[in-house]
Amino acid sequence: MASYLWLRGAHWFFQLRPPRDLQSALGSTPIRIRLLCQTRREASRFARHLAGASERWFLSMRYRGFERLRIFALRNNIENSERHETPDQIKSLQAALRRKFTDALQAEVDALRQIAVEYDGVSSQEERGNSANRRAVQQKKNEIALRGFAGWQEFAQKTLADYEQLFRDLQSELEAKHRILDDLQALTENYGDDFQEWKQKLTNISQKANEFEAQARSAHEANTKAMGKVEEVTHRLLYQGPKLSECLQEFLDAKTVQLPKNSREPEYFKHRLKAFLEIVGDQPIAAYTEADLTRFAGRLQHLPERHTVDPAWKGMTLVQAIEENENRSRSNRVETISFTTVKIGYIGKVKTAIRWLCANHHVGYPFKYAHTLIPKDLPTPTIRFGLDTDQLNKLFAHCAADADERRPEDVWLPLLAFLTGARLGELVSIQPHNIRQRHGVYVVDLTGRIMDSDGIRNRPLKTRESLRLFALHDSLTKLGFIDWVQQQKRAGHEYVFPDLHSAARPTHAASKRFQRVFRGLKMGGPHVFHSLRHSFKDWARQFGVEERTITLQAGHSLDGIALRYGNRYLREDELKKIASLPFPAGLDVSPYQGANPRPLVQPPVRRPVVDLINSDKGSVGAQQQPRPAHRKERPVPDTHDAIDVAGLRKALGLSQREFARTFDISIGNVRDWEQGRSRPGRLARTLLRSIQLGQEQVLGQTNTSSAQ
């Protein structure tokens, strides 16, 4: 709570002690004013305003009453004995000054309350009004808000005017003194007999003139100092910070340092802020208004949903894409971004950036108490549905068919997502050592960090609640998934699904892949891979699993302080209940029986190098110090090392399926290599080189035999 705001009983008070240099005029007793406020927030707002008004009055008293205050400070000095006040007179004057001071502050409170009443009245008009008169109402609100600063501007102008008047008065008095000196000099010349007497009088007058000039100089210095404070306060009040384009990079740099190295979030912020500048314009960061955000949202209602990836919009700026789509007939307009994307993806990110920049440059945040108006006819976000039993059977049958020729992630990920309720990104980042037993149940441990050949880093999770243990269903053991994971571990793979991690964004690659699968099965639209997570929660509720258990398994946050007490991991009974849940009626996972996807050809895990430190006797000591792990960039592939997989396969006269079976390679990898979606790894290139070399030797022998 601020030092000038006090709560006594049920009433709020503003209390401020006069500064030391003004206590001779106002006394040392604190000035107290009762605030007729009900809430602390309202009282704090009034108190801040009164604190600023008090500082304004203190500056005014220092400036306008300088000579009077100097007499008070020197009232015991002999030089001012003829102007010395009695104690009763001093107390009476102090009381009068304090009364005038408190009356002025009370007037400030009444004026501020009147402004608040008018502002609330205009706000109610804005809520009842239509879109045609909202701009006029918003302008009226801005005018009412600016009246709160009128006192500072009037004070600054009045102080400057008083200062100029005082300077003119001092200059007039000095000119009058000089005229007196000139007259005395003339009298001295005319009356030589009284020269000594007039000379003495002239000396006395000159001394008084010098004293008056010194006093005027002191007053000028004091007034100059007071004016400096006034200018500083006025500048601080009216300063609105740098322009958004000038300080935009500061926020992006801070965001880049905060996030992981490969995060794309700074690019999202940069795109949104540039869109805001392109539509609204460049202004000081504290000069933007809620009307600017409303206009920004209104223009975004015509922004095409795929304007960044669709070739039809390539080469257009954001405003050009909006105008092009807006000028089309209603039947030819493309789908636009959704209400949620505008509210969170654009408006939310602009507010976040400007809030940080305002705090960094010590200016007021312009969107603190306002509400952004977003067009209601924007598309609503797509509602995702869970998959029913028939759809699950159809998906599982498709993914488990020819499992020995498919990529492992294409086979196992849909079943894992349904049986565990985990997110796609969480399943993609599972490493073999994350799967272990707890209380006799196989679980996936996501509480640790990722350790691979690139070093140790945080696990890419959505929220802190995602750091958890979740249970694997017992059927996964019967279907051979646990044994398959052990094979992956013995083969030295860093991840359970290592093929995905050859892509720059593994989760994104998996999501795109399953989008194609769902479209091929005629289950697109409201059904995506995330629908399996919905299906798990419906399945668990169907068999009476407690909501807390489902929440901890799925990695959602617990609502309410009561649910957050206790163990934040699944208990033994909860693990066993999820692992032994009976399948819904009609669910068929038999296609997975005996499924054994071929493991990906991949180099073994590179273990950290350990230095063995020799002891003083020359023997190998037991102390080990691991070298610091440095994150390495992925090597750029050698263009001369590229292999034409399709040409090699056709030269052997084999189909893709026959080529995969002959050389024990996943048919999914063969397809990706030939279509350019991925490149063979180091060991895969070695295998392909061997096949190519053997084929060339066979052709060479055939040609030699023909020549003979």
Side-chain angles (χ1 to χ4, degrees), residues 55-259:
E55 183 62 23
R56 191 169 74 227
W57 275 89
F58 291 152
L59 290 175
S60 178
M61 292 182 68
R62 291 189 184 98
Y63 170 62
R64 299 180 183 176
F66 176 83
E67 180 64 19
R68 190 67 175 173
L69 295 177
R70 189 183 69 83
I71 295 174
F72 287 158
L74 302 175
R75 60 182 180 272
N76 295 323
N77 195 307
I78 298 176
E79 295 178 359
N80 297 287
S81 58
E82 69 278 8
R83 302 170 65 179
H84 180 67
E85 290 83 4
T86 64
D88 292 336
Q89 291 175 335
I90 293 175
K91 290 181 179 180
S92 176
L93 185 56
Q94 288 178 347
L97 289 175
R98 288 172 63 87
R99 185 163 54 254
K100 182 178 180 182
F101 190 90
T102 55
D103 291 343
L105 293 184
Q106 188 62 47
E108 293 276 354
V109 173
D110 296 337
L112 184 61
R113 183 175 291 108
Q114 181 62 29
I115 290 174
V117 170
E118 294 181 18
Y119 193 92
D120 292 339
V122 174
S123 298
S124 63
Q125 293 178 10
E126 183 180 15
E127 295 176 357
R128 297 192 303 269
N130 51 31
S131 58
N133 61 0
R134 283 197 185 110
R135 182 175 296 276
V137 173
Q138 182 65 34
Q139 182 67 26
K140 183 65 177 178
K141 288 171 63 177
N142 293 339
E143 293 175 359
I144 294 174
L146 289 175
R147 282 168 51 192
F149 302 101
W152 285 98
Q153 298 174 352
E154 181 182 358
F155 167 72
Q157 295 173 357
K158 193 171 183 180
T159 303
L160 290 173
D162 291 346
Y163 179 83
E164 294 176 355
Q165 183 61 39
L166 178 61
F167 185 82
R168 288 195 296 268
D169 293 342
L170 292 176
Q171 189 174 9
S172 298
E173 292 186 15
L174 287 175
E175 291 175 356
K177 295 294 183 182
H178 284 298
R179 286 196 298 270
I180 293 174
L181 292 177
D182 293 338
D183 293 339
L184 291 175
Q185 183 66 30
L187 289 173
T188 303
E189 294 176 355
N190 295 331
Y191 301 93
D193 296 339
D194 299 327
F195 175 76
Q196 293 297 331
E197 181 180 356
W198 285 110
K199 183 178 180 180
Q200 184 62 36
K201 291 182 179 180
L202 180 60
T203 302
N204 295 337
I205 293 175
S206 298
Q207 292 176 353
K208 291 183 179 181
N210 292 335
E211 293 176 0
F212 179 81
E213 186 177 359
Q215 293 175 2
R217 189 180 298 109
S218 300
H220 174 73
E221 294 175 356
N223 291 332
T224 302
K225 185 177 180 181
M227 283 302 303
K229 293 183 178 180
V230 171
E231 292 176 357
E232 179 182 355
V233 173
T234 304
H235 175 73
R236 186 169 62 250
L237 182 64
L238 301 179
Y239 179 61
Q240 294 181 318
K243 289 189 174 181
L244 179 58
S245 62
E246 298 172 355
C247 57
L248 170 63
Q249 195 60 39
E250 299 176 15
F251 172 77
L252 296 178
D253 292 342
K255 202 69 179 174
T256 302
V257 172
Q258 172 203 8
L259 296 169

Side-chain angles (χ1 to χ4, degrees), residues 341-511:
T341 302
V342 172
K343 182 178 180 180
I344 299 176
Y346 282 86
I347 300 296
K349 292 194 181 302
V350 168
K351 284 186 174 181
T352 297
I354 293 182
R355 183 185 295 109
W356 187 91
L357 290 171
C358 287
N360 195 42
H361 289 275
H362 307 287
V363 294
Y365 176 57
F367 312 129
K368 191 171 184 180
Y369 302 110
H371 175 70
T372 305
L373 302 177
I374 301 177
K376 299 298 183 182
D377 57 348
L378 281 168
T380 57
T382 303
I383 299 177
R384 303 301 182 187
F385 296 146
L387 302 175
D388 58 28
T389 304
D390 293 338
Q391 291 171 324
L392 288 172
N393 291 338
K394 184 178 180 181
L395 176 63
F396 292 159
H398 171 80
C399 294
D402 300 326
D404 57 337
E405 298 177 358
R406 287 180 175 274
R407 290 171 292 210
E409 58 271 15
D410 296 344
V411 177
W412 291 118
L413 279 177
L415 183 64
L416 279 174
F418 171 71
L419 294 179
T420 63
R423 301 178 179 91
L424 177 59
E426 297 168 350
L427 297 174
V428 168
S429 64
I430 294 176
Q431 297 183 281
H433 65 269
N434 296 143
I435 299 178
R436 58 184 179 85
Q437 279 193 319
R438 178 180 174 87
H439 302 304
V441 176
Y442 278 100
V443 299
V444 176
D445 185 359
L446 299 183
T447 60
R449 306 177 75 190
I450 291 219
M451 296 181 293
D452 56 15
S453 56
D454 289 335
I456 302 176
R457 62 187 184 279
N458 290 335
R459 187 177 298 275
L461 297 175
K462 185 175 181 180
T463 61
R464 293 186 61 85
E465 287 76 13
S466 301
L467 295 169
R468 68 191 190 283
L469 299 172
F470 62 84
L472 295 177
H473 197 269
D474 291 340
S475 62
L476 290 173
T477 304
K478 299 175 184 178
L479 295 175
F481 174 73
I482 300 299
D483 293 337
W484 182 84
V485 171
Q486 295 301 324
Q487 294 177 11
Q488 295 288 88
K489 186 175 182 180
R490 288 192 295 270
H493 292 294
E494 295 178 334
Y495 294 92
V496 173
F497 305 109
D499 179 48
L500 289 171
H501 292 269
S502 62
R505 301 164 62 189
T507 304
H508 182 76
S511 177

